[in-house]
Amino acid sequence: KGTETVSSSQDQPTRAEREWQRRHREILDAAREMFMADGYAGTTMQEIAERSEYSVGYIYRHFPGKQDLLDAILDEQIQVHRRIRHEVRSRDDLSPLQKFRHEIVLMSEHLLDHPGLVALFQGSIGLEPLRKIRFKEEMRLEDVELFQQAIDTGEIQSVDPALLVAACDGVIWGLVTMIHDSACPERFTELPRIVDDLILAPLSRNHPDLEPR
């Protein structure tokens, strides 16, 4: 029993570690707010320092540079998308096409709550860390597999799933960008229906109810 108590105590972060984590989080949150408001290129380390109320020198103790802040923020969003995708793809009560649509619904809700993420990702083009590029390829392959399942089960017409994924990605990102540029984030709620009308329903053999229960 005594050993268990010592082990449990050793697993707990010290006061100094908790304070470091708190400051790390505050710096990251300040950077995310600045990037979403003014873009990556339009934000300086000095502005992040002023927003977080820490000195530039202190911020460098947590993050070697502005790119490292961006990488950390993008990594967090990758993890959000991973959780959403895992939650949806693990459901046995949804067909392949319903899984794809439900994922769009959840991501639309996430963008509605955090519309500034679109500007963040737009500003990160050309600055993407290798892990984000790999994640995008991983998602593409998973979507190809999902649409192949929809074809194999007869849910949609036979079509090259890789071309279908490319078409969906292009349409979805184009719509997301257009909605963001319109300065009407509430329109993100329309995204699933528009994707239904433009792509999913026409592909469906029987126009099934795509709305997940």
Side-chain angles (χ1 to χ4, degrees):
K1 184 176 180 180
T3 303
E4 292 178 358
T5 302
V6 171
S7 175
S8 176
S9 176
Q10 290 176 341
D11 290 341
Q12 297 299 317
T14 65
R15 179 182 299 179
E17 289 171 336
R18 290 196 301 271
E19 182 64 15
W20 176 271
Q21 292 168 0
R22 182 185 68 80
R23 295 180 179 184
H24 192 87
R25 181 74 261 167
E26 288 177 349
I27 294 168
L28 201 57
D29 288 345
R32 185 182 67 251
E33 292 170 5
M34 296 296 297
F35 290 161
M36 289 194 301
D38 302 323
Y40 176 84
T43 301
T44 67
M45 290 294 280
Q46 180 61 44
E47 290 171 331
I48 295 172
E50 292 172 359
R51 175 66 67 92
S52 64
E53 299 185 345
Y54 295 110
S55 69
V56 173
Y58 182 77
I59 291 178
Y60 280 127
R61 293 173 60 187
H62 287 258
F63 300 95
K66 192 169 72 166
Q67 175 68 52
D68 298 279
L69 279 163
L70 177 64
D71 289 352
I73 293 167
L74 294 179
D75 280 349
E76 286 189 338
Q77 292 309 309
I78 285 175
Q79 293 310 312
V80 169
H81 202 153
R82 282 189 191 279
R83 287 195 296 271
I84 290 175
R85 178 164 284 226
H86 176 73
E87 172 191 331
V88 173
R89 304 282 167 115
S90 61
R91 288 183 58 175
D92 295 330
D93 60 317
L94 300 179
S95 70
L97 210 57
Q98 287 174 328
K99 289 179 180 179
F100 184 81
R101 185 187 189 280
H102 191 44
E103 187 174 328
I104 295 174
V105 170
L106 295 180
M107 287 306 302
S108 298
E109 293 172 352
H110 184 62
L111 289 174
L112 179 62
D113 293 336
H114 309 281
L117 288 174
V118 179
L120 175 65
F121 275 82
Q122 285 177 330
S124 69
I125 296 175
L127 298 166
E128 299 174 327
L130 182 58
R131 51 193 171 278
K132 183 189 172 192
I133 295 174
R134 288 174 175 169
F135 176 62
K136 289 170 67 175
E137 177 62 13
E138 173 187 322
M139 288 195 302
R140 187 188 70 81
L141 293 175
E142 288 177 353
D143 286 343
V144 168
E145 181 180 357
L146 189 70
F147 277 115
Q148 185 61 60
Q149 292 173 5
I151 293 170
D152 293 342
T153 58
E155 188 176 17
I156 64 174
Q157 306 167 33
S158 180
V159 63
D160 185 337
L163 292 178
L164 181 54
V165 169
C168 286
D169 285 348
V171 169
I172 292 171
W173 181 247
L175 289 170
V176 166
T177 302
M178 183 183 71
I179 292 171
H180 172 264
D181 292 344
S182 71
C184 298
E186 62 274 10
R187 294 192 64 193
F188 280 120
T189 58
E190 302 175 21
L191 188 59
R193 178 188 58 78
I194 298 174
V195 173
D196 282 351
D197 294 343
L198 292 179
I199 299 179
L200 302 185
L203 278 170
S204 173
R205 289 184 178 279
N206 302 310
H207 293 265
D209 179 13
L210 295 173
E211 186 71 40
R213 295 181 176 85

